[in-house]
Amino acid sequence: MEAVTVTGPLKAVNWALSGEAAMRLFAEEDSVCELTSLLHRAYADHAAAGRVFFASYQSPQDTAHRLRRGECWLALQGNSLVGTVTVAAPYVAPEGYPAPAGAGSFWQLAVDPSQRGTGLGQRLLSVAESRVAARGATQVVIDTSSEATELVGWYRRRGYVPVGTWRWDVTNYDSVVLVKELTTS
């Protein structure tokens, strides 16, 4: 699979790699309801396992609020929304959250269940890390359910290191906070 690099100013970038999903920024004419539906589908397995990720039940209003806090990227297969990630750098963390000063972050990384195993999650992660670096951060901080061992392992295999824990008031679990040092070119 080819590497994806996203740099430069915020513009409506749209590209696809040899038949893979095209990626572009969320636009005003895009549907927040459709994005919310994707998030619900992508996080449904976690909810079924008893891990209530906010993205598994958030309202369209919550989605719109979270979009305004960052730069939302969409992955499209034809006209179908199949993935997303929202990026921010610097990340404004709540007081006490174990994030390095000046780190960037991303949230709502989601892949439609029909696209699992295609590498789309890795592509979205690459976009998120590239955008965090392009916005000037040298580290990226994220968190996920400490009970989602498969997801924690996925991030660890990609260079993320646990640095602490956090408890959000919109979930039913403790989160593991992970940090990755970004390479500069």
Side-chain angles (χ1 to χ4, degrees):
M1 177 186 336
E2 297 176 52
V4 176
T5 303
V6 183
T7 58
L10 299 179
K11 293 183 180 173
V13 178
N14 187 6
W15 77 95
L17 299 176
S18 60
E20 294 180 345
M23 295 208 193
R24 66 169 173 77
L25 282 169
F26 186 88
E28 193 174 310
E29 63 272 7
D30 289 319
S31 170
V32 172
C33 290
E34 185 179 350
L35 180 57
T36 303
S37 178
L38 167 68
L39 293 168
H40 291 179
R41 288 190 313 276
Y43 285 87
D45 288 352
H46 290 291
R51 297 182 296 263
V52 184
F53 282 69
F54 186 54
S56 71
Y57 72 88
Q58 71 190 43
S59 70
Q61 293 78 16
D62 294 325
T63 302
H65 173 76
R66 295 180 89 188
L67 291 176
R68 288 190 295 272
R69 294 180 43 224
E71 175 184 302
C72 179
W73 286 86
L74 304 178
L76 298 145
Q77 194 72 264
N79 291 327
S80 298
L81 179 61
V82 294
T84 188
V85 66
T86 301
V87 178
Y91 175 55
V92 180
E95 187 174 333
Y97 185 89
S105 189
F106 60 87
W107 52 89
Q108 299 189 149
L109 178 87
V111 173
D112 188 273
S114 70
Q115 298 295 306
R116 290 186 184 147
T118 65
L120 181 56
Q122 179 62 50
R123 287 185 60 215
L124 287 162
L125 180 63
S126 294
V127 167
E129 291 173 353
S130 293
R131 290 304 305 150
V132 165
R135 294 176 65 108
T138 59
Q139 296 172 305
V140 60
V141 61
I142 60 160
D143 62 75
T144 192
S145 171
S146 60
E147 299 169 16
T149 55
E150 71 289 347
L151 194 51
V152 173
W154 188 82
Y155 283 116
R156 291 193 71 164
R157 288 188 300 278
R158 285 151 181 83
Y160 287 79
V161 178
V163 295
T165 60
W166 187 253
R167 180 71 182 229
W168 295 103
D169 62 359
V170 294
T171 64
N172 69 342
Y173 54 78
D174 290 328
S175 293
V176 59
V177 179
L178 302 120
V179 171
K180 180 178 180 177
E181 299 289 328
L182 298 175
T183 57
T184 54
S185 29

